[in-house]
Amino acid sequence: MNPTELHERAEQERLRQQHLSLRLFLCYSTPCLSAGADRVKAVLDEEIAARNKDGRIDLEVVATGCMGPCSRGPLLRITQADGSEKIYEHVTPESARTLLDAYLADKGTHTAAELSPDLPFFTQQTRIALDNNGWIDPEKIEQSLARGAYSALAHTLQEMTPEQVCQEITRSGLRGRGGGGYPTGVKWELVRKAPGERKYVVANGDEGDPGAYMDRTIMESDPHRVLEGMAIAGYAVGAEQGYIYVRGEYPLAAARLAKAIKAAEKSGLLGSRVLDSGFNFRIDLRVGAGAFVCGEETALMTSIMGRRGQPVPRPPYPAQSGLWGCPTLINNVETFANIAPIVKNGAAWFAGFGTEKSKGTKVFALCGEVVNSGLIEVEMGISLRRIVFDIGGGLPNDGRFKAAQTGGPSGGCIPAEHLDTPVDYESLKDLGSMMGSGGLIVMNETSCMPDVAKFFMEFCMDESCGKCVPCRVGTVEMHRLLTRITNGSAVPEDLETLDELCRLVQETSLCGLGMTAPNPVLNTLLYFRDEYLAHVDERRCPAGTCTLDQVPLYKLPEHVDRLAIIKERS
């Protein structure tokens, strides 16, 4: 396929869609599938087949990726030729039948609950990476082409040099969306200039933070956007081979990516002589075994090479020596999802969103104690208050906001007094938290902050690869101290020991997992120290979560064997 044929094929699909009088977009992502979307689709297909035996009804059912408000699924959007659109929530097989009656048989009534498109959840988002989500069938390449897929790649191969591509990404101000926030264009330029006969491009889809599912949704909902971004990166840095590393718990994402790669290769959009140019680029899929540490770039590379996923010291950095000792570009899935829009619309367009140092938008998985939980994309610099109370609809049952946890096990909890903080890299770091990959968990007054810290420390303890002592031993000891605090067996000195241990692990661990594991503890000690003191000094949990029915060790008589009690309670 050449660029002209690409344009013609996309135009044919757009014309086909314009002639349809009715299109039913059914969310077919993991959250809606778990809520029964597969049963809804089976009923829709069966009913339409029965009513359309003569083929006179010009409509189609589109099994799309995520539409956003995951807590309201299964979701069904119905659009008509006149441009009207309606969204229905909690759709069941029965309500789907009544909707078809209302639209096709003019029976007028249906039992589906309508969700207003004017809901702030929709209207206050700014979608770039998620632009196609909910509008295409991710398993049909024609629908992606109709929305402009691979047009940016065609423009790149026809009109730009590799150096110009790197410069454009640099001018856009795009920073890595995996959590570190390193300037993307700078990383690309380093790999482009690095000497080496072979170079590689890697998409990091090993998303493992509790409550986070941004990358999974992008891979499930718009796989061709990721593939196109990787191909543009390959051209820019001089690589002919790419790898997508997908978390093992994401079977649907892996399956849709595999189909997308095959479809793109068959259409001449990947493989040899991409779009009839002199550029060759293959992409292979690698599925991880579920190790959280493989989200760290050096551990990810060792896993791709078939070895145990463990981090290695840096330098050298992947840009100089990565896969098989060759220069390697590693970016997060969401980062690659932003590449095609930047190339298509220009660096200045993208830089017009966000703040001075944090450009563009960010995808978040909004969950926890919030009315409208789901996947959102917002402009950098938006306040946490707007995310929680406008887009999220506030807390259910008139609950009181206590904190928002950002950055997963590597982040921290932002208290109510900082609700008006802009959500960008620098502001979150100043509060002792971080952007992370994009998990955002809202908590109410029933959340016990020492218990929250213990939860994340248990996660880090279990996921530590064990290669370095500070992380392997330090996370276990921090978890033991937090357990004593939450069960009422701690002494005042334990708080000092915990603080000291956190800083030791932070400064001496080998990789980012250990370096950032203490963050939730240090952050909650800073903002919620009164809760720790209540647990230790008063054996009282202000949130009412912990059961502290034991006498503190330091209040026991001197003749009691404290060591034996500590072992029993731990």
Side-chain angles (χ1 to χ4, degrees):
M1 182 189 297
N2 58 43
T4 301
E5 292 170 338
L6 173 70
H7 175 75
E8 290 175 352
R9 190 170 168 186
E11 193 60 32
Q12 287 174 1
E13 175 62 18
R14 281 192 286 267
L15 288 172
R16 184 194 70 82
Q17 293 176 10
Q18 288 174 7
H19 285 92
L20 294 170
S21 61
L22 204 62
R23 301 189 79 199
L24 289 77
F25 298 89
L26 176 65
C27 182
Y28 221 59
S29 65
T30 296
C32 281
L33 281 169
S34 65
D38 53 343
R39 296 191 298 273
V40 174
K41 186 174 187 299
V43 166
L44 288 173
D45 290 341
E46 178 185 336
E47 290 291 320
I48 290 171
R51 299 163 191 248
N52 198 27
K53 291 180 180 179
D54 56 4
R56 288 186 298 177
I57 305 175
D58 50 345
L59 82 167
E60 69 173 346
V61 178
V62 183
T64 75
C66 180
M67 294 183 183
C70 303
S71 59
R72 297 174 179 266
L75 292 155
L76 180 65
R77 177 193 286 116
I78 299 181
T79 62
Q80 295 179 277
D82 61 5
S84 61
E85 170 192 334
K86 288 189 177 181
I87 303 174
Y88 301 94
E89 61 177 334
H90 301 304
V91 178
T92 64
E94 292 72 26
S95 62
R97 285 192 182 92
T98 64
L99 276 169
L100 282 178
D101 283 336
Y103 277 89
L104 298 180
D106 272 340
K107 292 191 178 179
T109 59
H110 58 79
T111 59
E114 191 171 338
L115 184 63
S116 173
D118 296 327
L119 195 72
F121 184 94
F122 297 115
T123 60
Q124 297 202 26
Q125 292 191 48
T126 303
R127 290 198 159 204
I128 296 176
L130 303 183
D131 184 45
N132 291 334
N133 283 30
W135 291 104
I136 61 171
D137 184 335
E139 297 186 15
K140 294 182 178 178
I141 191 172
E142 290 79 13
Q143 295 193 11
S144 293
L145 296 178
R147 298 276 295 185
Y150 298 100
S151 60
L153 176 60
H155 172 77
T156 298
L157 297 179
Q158 285 184 307
E159 302 183 28
M160 301 178 76
T161 65
E163 184 178 8
Q164 287 174 331
V165 177
C166 291
Q167 290 173 350
E168 191 76 358
I169 301 303
T170 301
R171 285 195 296 267
S172 74
L174 176 65
R175 296 170 65 174
R177 295 301 193 246
Y182 191 83
T184 304
V186 173
K187 184 184 285 190
W188 286 27
E189 188 68 14
L190 287 172
V191 180
R192 186 184 74 83
K193 290 182 177 179
E197 292 185 5
R198 285 187 67 83
K199 297 180 181 180
Y200 297 95
V201 172
V202 176
N204 185 347
D206 189 65
E207 175 184 57
D209 292 1
Y213 54 95
M214 300 74 54
D215 293 344
R216 184 198 73 199
T217 303
I218 292 172
M219 292 185 289
E220 286 180 1
S221 305
D222 196 4
H224 289 286
R225 174 70 67 87
V226 181
L227 302 183
E228 183 178 12
M230 292 179 68
I232 293 171
Y235 173 76
V237 304
E240 294 189 350
Q241 176 67 53
Y243 292 96
I244 303 180
Y245 191 91
V246 183
R247 191 163 183 79
E249 291 88 344
Y250 292 173
L252 183 59
R256 288 181 176 173
L257 279 167
K259 288 182 180 179
I261 291 170
K262 284 186 179 180
E265 288 176 343
K266 187 176 180 180
S267 300
L269 300 167
L270 289 176
S272 300
R273 293 182 49 79
V274 173
L275 286 166
D276 276 356
S277 70
F279 172 59
N280 306 316
F281 192 71
R282 285 184 53 83
I283 295 178
D284 289 324
L285 191 65
R286 292 290 183 270
V287 179
F292 178 68
V293 73
C294 286
E296 196 274 338
E297 58 184 19
T298 62
L300 182 148
M301 289 189 298
T302 60
S303 181
I304 287 178
M305 292 186 287
R307 301 198 291 268
R308 182 180 179 183
Q310 286 188 318
V312 297
R314 297 176 299 178
Y317 290 92
Q320 285 76 46
S321 178
L323 288 175
W324 296 284
C326 300
T328 302
L329 172 68
I330 300 181
N331 279 134
N332 169 264
V333 161
E334 185 186 337
T335 307
F336 282 120
N338 280 286
I339 299 302
I342 290 173
V343 171
K344 190 181 301 183
N345 298 296
W349 167 82
F350 186 83
F353 299 99
T355 66
E356 182 182 354
K357 295 183 179 180
S358 299
K359 303 295 186 182
T361 59
K362 181 71 187 78
V363 180
F364 288 99
L366 181 63
C367 57
E369 294 295 327
V370 64
V371 172
N372 299 318
S373 61
L375 201 72
I376 63 172
E377 184 174 4
V378 294
E379 189 172 352
M380 288 278 200
I382 188 174
S383 71
L384 187 60
R385 185 184 300 276
R386 277 188 60 195
I387 291 178
V388 174
F389 290 95
D390 293 346
I391 297 175
L395 281 68
N397 303 318
D398 297 322
R400 289 179 57 191
F401 176 88
K402 184 173 187 176
Q405 205 276 344
T406 67
S410 305
C413 298
I414 301 171
E417 57 262 34
H418 293 294
L419 263 172
D420 293 310
T421 297
V423 177
D424 57 49
Y425 290 102
E426 284 69 33
S427 298
L428 294 181
K429 186 177 180 181
D430 290 343
L431 292 177
S433 187
M434 63 185 297
M435 184 78 70
S437 57
L440 202 163
I441 304 172
V442 179
M443 291 175 275
N444 64 14
E445 56 193 353
T446 65
S447 295
C448 169
M449 305 319 288
D451 190 57
V452 168
K454 186 181 76 170
F455 167 81
F456 284 109
M457 189 54 60
E458 182 177 8
F459 179 87
C460 293
M461 177 181 71
D462 291 341
E463 293 293 344
S464 173
C465 74
K467 185 173 184 178
C468 72
V469 173
C471 180
R472 182 179 73 242
V473 178
T475 52
V476 173
E477 290 302 317
M478 286 188 286
H479 181 264
R480 185 173 297 171
L481 285 168
L482 289 164
T483 299
R484 289 173 59 179
I485 290 169
T486 54
N487 71 15
S489 62
V491 297
E493 290 77 12
D494 284 340
L495 292 180
E496 296 178 16
T497 303
L498 181 62
D499 186 274
E500 183 180 352
L501 184 57
C502 282
R503 300 187 189 282
L504 177 67
V505 173
Q506 202 173 47
E507 294 172 7
T508 57
S509 292
L510 174 62
C511 81
L513 191 155
M515 291 176 185
T516 59
N519 285 357
V521 183
L522 291 170
N523 174 270
T524 51
L525 276 170
L526 174 64
Y527 292 115
F528 302 95
R529 195 174 188 86
D530 57 329
E531 289 197 34
Y532 281 88
L533 293 173
H535 283 71
V536 175
D537 295 338
E538 306 172 33
R539 291 191 301 116
R540 178 179 62 86
C541 177
T545 300
C546 305
T547 302
L548 295 89
D549 54 359
Q550 300 161 323
V551 177
L553 288 174
Y554 67 94
K555 291 186 178 182
L556 290 172
E558 291 185 5
H559 66 274
V560 173
D561 187 349
R562 289 178 171 79
L563 183 59
I565 292 177
I566 289 174
K567 289 181 179 179
E568 180 184 345
R569 292 181 178 181
S570 299

